[in-house]
Amino acid sequence: MHPHGTSVGFGFTLNGAVRFKAKRPDLYLPAEVTSLLSDERLARISGVQAPLLFRLPLVRPMMLLFGCCTPATKEGMFGLFRQRSDFGILPGGMEEVALFEFGRERVYLKRRKGFIKYALQHGYLLLLAYTFGECDLYRSVGAGKRLRMWLLRRCGFVVPLFYGAWWCPLLPRADVAVHTVVGAPLQLPRIAEPTAEQVTAYHALYVEALTRLFDDHKARFGYADRRLEVI
Protein backbone atom coordinates (compact mmCIF):
# COMPACT_ATOMS: atom_id res chain seq x y z
CA MET A 1 0.00 0.00 0.00
CA HIS A 2 1.24 3.47 -0.88
CA PRO A 3 1.72 6.18 0.27
CA HIS A 4 2.22 5.90 4.02
CA GLY A 5 0.78 9.30 4.85
CA THR A 6 1.23 11.05 8.19
CA SER A 7 -0.14 8.39 10.52
CA VAL A 8 1.56 5.35 12.06
CA GLY A 9 -0.74 3.02 10.16
CA PHE A 10 -3.19 2.04 12.90
CA GLY A 11 -6.14 2.45 10.57
CA PHE A 12 -4.38 0.44 7.88
CA THR A 13 -4.06 -2.54 10.20
CA LEU A 14 -6.87 -2.20 12.71
CA ASN A 15 -9.51 -1.24 10.15
CA GLY A 16 -8.11 -3.67 7.61
CA ALA A 17 -6.87 -6.89 9.18
CA VAL A 18 -9.45 -6.77 11.99
CA ARG A 19 -12.23 -7.02 9.42
CA PHE A 20 -10.83 -10.34 8.27
CA LYS A 21 -10.53 -11.70 11.80
CA ALA A 22 -13.98 -10.63 12.96
CA LYS A 23 -15.49 -13.95 11.76
CA ARG A 24 -18.42 -12.05 10.28
CA PRO A 25 -17.51 -11.81 6.62
CA ASP A 26 -21.14 -11.13 5.76
CA LEU A 27 -20.90 -7.83 7.65
CA TYR A 28 -17.32 -6.67 7.19
CA LEU A 29 -16.05 -8.04 3.88
CA PRO A 30 -17.14 -7.67 0.26
CA ALA A 31 -18.53 -10.79 -1.38
CA GLU A 32 -15.81 -10.81 -4.05
CA VAL A 33 -13.23 -11.34 -1.30
CA THR A 34 -15.03 -14.00 0.73
CA SER A 35 -15.82 -15.98 -2.41
CA LEU A 36 -12.12 -16.36 -3.17
CA LEU A 37 -10.63 -16.97 0.30
CA SER A 38 -11.33 -19.76 2.76
CA ASP A 39 -12.16 -19.05 6.40
CA GLU A 40 -8.77 -20.45 7.39
CA ARG A 41 -6.96 -18.10 5.04
CA LEU A 42 -9.00 -15.13 6.20
CA ALA A 43 -8.05 -15.89 9.81
CA ARG A 44 -4.32 -15.69 8.96
CA ILE A 45 -4.45 -12.23 7.40
CA SER A 46 -2.26 -9.69 9.19
CA GLY A 47 -0.49 -6.37 8.86
CA VAL A 48 3.03 -5.28 9.78
CA GLN A 49 3.97 -2.22 11.81
CA ALA A 50 7.12 -0.37 12.87
CA PRO A 51 8.96 -2.46 15.52
CA LEU A 52 9.30 0.50 17.87
CA LEU A 53 5.52 0.63 18.31
CA PHE A 54 5.62 -2.76 20.00
CA ARG A 55 7.90 -1.33 22.69
CA LEU A 56 5.61 1.53 23.70
CA PRO A 57 3.69 0.76 26.94
CA LEU A 58 0.23 1.96 25.91
CA VAL A 59 0.49 1.22 22.21
CA ARG A 60 1.73 -2.39 22.43
CA PRO A 61 -1.44 -3.82 24.09
CA MET A 62 -3.62 -2.13 21.50
CA MET A 63 -1.47 -3.50 18.68
CA LEU A 64 -1.66 -7.05 20.02
CA LEU A 65 -5.27 -6.99 21.21
CA PHE A 66 -6.82 -8.31 18.00
CA GLY A 67 -3.88 -10.44 16.88
CA CYS A 68 -3.57 -8.67 13.56
CA CYS A 69 -0.28 -6.78 13.95
CA THR A 70 3.23 -8.09 13.40
CA PRO A 71 6.53 -6.20 13.85
CA ALA A 72 8.11 -5.24 10.53
CA THR A 73 11.27 -7.22 11.27
CA LYS A 74 12.85 -10.05 9.31
CA GLU A 75 11.81 -12.52 11.99
CA GLY A 76 8.24 -11.20 12.12
CA MET A 77 7.77 -11.18 8.37
CA PHE A 78 9.34 -14.62 7.92
CA GLY A 79 6.83 -15.96 10.44
CA LEU A 80 4.03 -14.70 8.21
CA PHE A 81 5.73 -16.13 5.13
CA ARG A 82 6.06 -19.57 6.74
CA GLN A 83 2.34 -19.57 7.50
CA ARG A 84 1.63 -18.49 3.92
CA SER A 85 -0.32 -15.59 5.40
CA ASP A 86 -1.70 -12.73 3.37
CA PHE A 87 -0.57 -9.47 4.94
CA GLY A 88 -0.46 -5.77 4.28
CA ILE A 89 2.66 -3.66 4.38
CA LEU A 90 3.47 0.02 3.90
CA PRO A 91 6.95 -0.31 2.31
CA GLY A 92 7.74 3.40 2.65
CA GLY A 93 7.82 3.06 6.42
CA MET A 94 8.67 5.91 8.75
CA GLU A 95 10.97 7.45 6.14
CA GLU A 96 7.89 8.21 4.08
CA VAL A 97 6.28 9.81 7.13
CA ALA A 98 9.36 11.99 7.66
CA LEU A 99 9.34 13.06 4.00
CA PHE A 100 5.60 13.77 3.89
CA GLU A 101 4.66 17.10 2.36
CA PHE A 102 1.14 18.33 1.71
CA GLY A 103 0.12 17.88 -1.92
CA ARG A 104 3.24 15.93 -2.93
CA GLU A 105 2.83 12.33 -4.11
CA ARG A 106 5.95 10.77 -2.60
CA VAL A 107 6.97 7.17 -2.01
CA TYR A 108 10.20 6.06 -0.35
CA LEU A 109 11.27 3.07 -2.43
CA LYS A 110 14.69 3.51 -4.03
CA ARG A 111 16.47 2.06 -0.99
CA ARG A 112 13.62 -0.18 0.10
CA LYS A 113 14.40 -3.55 -1.48
CA GLY A 114 14.27 -5.89 1.51
CA PHE A 115 10.59 -6.74 1.13
CA ILE A 116 11.21 -7.68 -2.50
CA LYS A 117 14.03 -10.04 -1.47
CA TYR A 118 11.86 -11.70 1.19
CA ALA A 119 8.97 -12.06 -1.25
CA LEU A 120 11.29 -13.68 -3.79
CA GLN A 121 12.59 -16.12 -1.20
CA HIS A 122 9.03 -17.30 -0.57
CA GLY A 123 7.54 -16.93 -4.04
CA TYR A 124 4.86 -14.49 -2.98
CA LEU A 125 2.31 -12.63 -5.05
CA LEU A 126 2.43 -8.84 -4.62
CA LEU A 127 -0.73 -6.79 -4.96
CA LEU A 128 0.03 -3.09 -5.33
CA ALA A 129 -2.36 -0.39 -4.17
CA TYR A 130 -2.25 3.40 -4.15
CA THR A 131 -4.50 5.80 -2.24
CA PHE A 132 -5.29 9.09 -3.93
CA GLY A 133 -6.08 11.91 -1.51
CA GLU A 134 -3.82 10.59 1.24
CA CYS A 135 -1.32 13.39 0.63
CA ASP A 136 -4.03 16.05 0.95
CA LEU A 137 -5.74 14.94 4.16
CA TYR A 138 -3.33 16.90 6.37
CA ARG A 139 -1.21 19.99 5.97
CA SER A 140 2.36 19.49 7.07
CA VAL A 141 5.09 21.60 8.60
CA GLY A 142 7.71 21.65 5.88
CA ALA A 143 10.63 22.90 7.97
CA GLY A 144 12.81 20.44 9.85
CA LYS A 145 12.97 17.65 7.29
CA ARG A 146 16.66 17.03 7.97
CA LEU A 147 15.99 16.95 11.70
CA ARG A 148 13.20 14.41 11.22
CA MET A 149 15.43 12.16 9.15
CA TRP A 150 18.21 12.46 11.75
CA LEU A 151 15.81 11.52 14.54
CA LEU A 152 14.60 8.59 12.48
CA ARG A 153 18.13 7.29 11.96
CA ARG A 154 19.02 7.74 15.63
CA CYS A 155 15.75 6.67 17.29
CA GLY A 156 14.01 4.56 14.67
CA PHE A 157 10.89 6.69 14.88
CA VAL A 158 9.72 10.16 14.02
CA VAL A 159 6.81 12.27 15.22
CA PRO A 160 5.30 14.04 12.20
CA LEU A 161 4.11 17.63 12.47
CA PHE A 162 0.77 18.05 10.75
CA TYR A 163 -2.77 19.34 11.17
CA GLY A 164 -6.06 18.46 9.51
CA ALA A 165 -9.52 19.80 10.36
CA TRP A 166 -9.43 23.29 11.86
CA TRP A 167 -11.63 22.28 14.80
CA CYS A 168 -9.64 19.11 15.56
CA PRO A 169 -6.17 19.02 13.99
CA LEU A 170 -5.79 15.25 14.51
CA LEU A 171 -8.75 14.52 12.25
CA PRO A 172 -8.31 14.62 8.46
CA ARG A 173 -9.81 17.35 6.32
CA ALA A 174 -13.43 16.58 5.49
CA ASP A 175 -13.25 18.19 2.04
CA VAL A 176 -10.78 15.64 0.64
CA ALA A 177 -12.04 12.44 -0.96
CA VAL A 178 -9.93 9.30 -0.57
CA HIS A 179 -9.82 6.64 -3.29
CA THR A 180 -7.72 3.48 -3.26
CA VAL A 181 -6.93 1.69 -6.52
CA VAL A 182 -5.48 -1.80 -6.80
CA GLY A 183 -3.17 -2.83 -9.59
CA ALA A 184 -2.62 -6.10 -11.39
CA PRO A 185 -0.99 -8.82 -9.27
CA LEU A 186 2.75 -9.22 -9.57
CA GLN A 187 3.65 -12.88 -9.06
CA LEU A 188 7.27 -13.41 -8.03
CA PRO A 189 9.14 -16.66 -8.62
CA ARG A 190 10.50 -18.57 -5.66
CA ILE A 191 14.27 -18.05 -5.45
CA ALA A 192 15.79 -19.35 -2.22
CA GLU A 193 18.89 -17.17 -2.47
CA PRO A 194 18.24 -14.32 -4.92
CA THR A 195 21.24 -12.37 -6.12
CA ALA A 196 21.50 -8.62 -5.72
CA GLU A 197 20.90 -8.29 -9.46
CA GLN A 198 17.70 -10.35 -9.27
CA VAL A 199 16.41 -8.32 -6.33
CA THR A 200 17.16 -5.08 -8.19
CA ALA A 201 15.43 -6.34 -11.34
CA TYR A 202 12.20 -7.31 -9.55
CA HIS A 203 12.32 -4.14 -7.48
CA ALA A 204 12.43 -2.17 -10.75
CA LEU A 205 9.38 -4.10 -11.98
CA TYR A 206 7.58 -3.18 -8.75
CA VAL A 207 8.40 0.53 -9.07
CA GLU A 208 7.38 0.48 -12.74
CA ALA A 209 4.05 -1.19 -11.90
CA LEU A 210 3.35 1.31 -9.10
CA THR A 211 4.16 4.28 -11.34
CA ARG A 212 1.91 2.90 -14.07
CA LEU A 213 -0.91 2.36 -11.57
CA PHE A 214 -0.57 5.97 -10.41
CA ASP A 215 -0.45 7.42 -13.92
CA ASP A 216 -3.39 5.33 -15.15
CA HIS A 217 -5.73 6.64 -12.44
CA LYS A 218 -4.53 10.10 -11.37
CA ALA A 219 -6.71 12.06 -13.82
CA ARG A 220 -9.78 10.09 -12.76
CA PHE A 221 -9.54 11.52 -9.25
CA GLY A 222 -8.49 15.06 -10.14
CA TYR A 223 -4.69 14.76 -9.92
CA ALA A 224 -3.78 14.85 -13.61
CA ASP A 225 -1.09 17.48 -13.03
CA ARG A 226 0.78 15.48 -10.40
CA ARG A 227 3.63 13.04 -10.79
CA LEU A 228 4.73 10.27 -8.52
CA GLU A 229 8.04 11.05 -6.82
CA VAL A 230 10.01 7.88 -6.11
CA ILE A 231 12.62 8.81 -3.49
Side-chain angles (χ1 to χ4, degrees), residues 113-129:
K113 298 182 181 180
F115 75 103
I116 296 292
K117 178 180 179 180
Y118 297 163
L120 280 170
Q121 290 177 319
H122 295 84
Y124 253 56
L125 181 148
L126 304 180
L127 199 59
L128 295 79

Side-chain angles (χ1 to χ4, degrees), residues 1-2 12 46-49 72 77 87-92 115 126 206:
M1 174 69 76
H2 302 273
F12 164 75
S46 186
V48 297
Q49 297 278 359
M77 293 180 66
F87 64 94
I89 182 172
L90 296 162
F115 75 103
L126 304 180
Y206 183 95

Side-chain angles (χ1 to χ4, degrees), residues 8-197:
V8 294
F10 286 147
F12 164 75
T13 294
L14 299 180
N15 191 40
V18 164
R19 289 176 178 265
F20 294 98
K21 295 180 180 291
K23 298 183 179 180
R24 289 299 306 274
D26 55 316
L27 288 179
Y28 301 114
L29 298 175
E32 56 266 28
V33 172
T34 56
S35 64
L36 296 175
L37 304 180
S38 66
D39 292 342
E40 181 183 0
R41 185 171 175 181
L42 288 172
R44 292 199 306 268
I45 289 177
S46 186
V48 297
Q49 297 278 359
L52 179 65
L53 297 176
F54 292 85
R55 298 198 295 269
L56 300 179
L58 297 179
V59 176
R60 176 181 171 83
M62 184 174 64
M63 300 281 282
L64 299 178
L65 179 62
F66 298 106
C68 61
C69 295
T70 301
T73 61
K74 181 177 181 179
E75 180 182 2
M77 293 180 66
F78 269 49
L80 295 173
F81 283 129
R82 285 192 295 269
Q83 298 172 23
R84 302 304 293 177
S85 297
D86 300 284
F87 64 94
I89 182 172
L90 296 162
M94 295 307 297
E95 285 85 355
E96 212 162 275
V97 177
L99 293 169
F100 176 86
E101 187 175 332
F102 175 76
R104 301 287 291 271
E105 308 286 348
R106 288 176 171 171
V107 292
Y108 184 84
L109 270 179
K110 285 186 177 180
R111 299 183 181 181
R112 190 71 86 219
K113 298 182 181 180
F115 75 103
I116 296 292
K117 178 180 179 180
Y118 297 163
L120 280 170
Q121 290 177 319
H122 295 84
Y124 253 56
L125 181 148
L126 304 180
L127 199 59
L128 295 79
Y130 194 91
T131 299
F132 290 92
E134 181 72 49
C135 298
D136 296 86
L137 290 175
Y138 294 94
R139 292 191 178 275
S140 58
V141 177
K145 185 185 303 181
R146 290 186 179 181
L147 175 61
R148 293 195 296 272
M149 292 300 290
W150 180 83
L151 287 172
L152 181 58
R153 288 192 295 268
R154 292 294 300 268
C155 306
F157 192 75
V158 63
V159 178
L161 300 176
F162 62 89
Y163 58 96
W166 65 269
W167 56 275
C168 183
L170 291 179
L171 292 180
R173 294 171 56 197
D175 60 336
V176 177
V178 176
H179 303 277
T180 298
V181 294
V182 180
L186 180 61
Q187 177 65 62
L188 300 188
R190 186 165 189 165
I191 306 174
E193 295 295 335
T195 64
E197 290 76 15

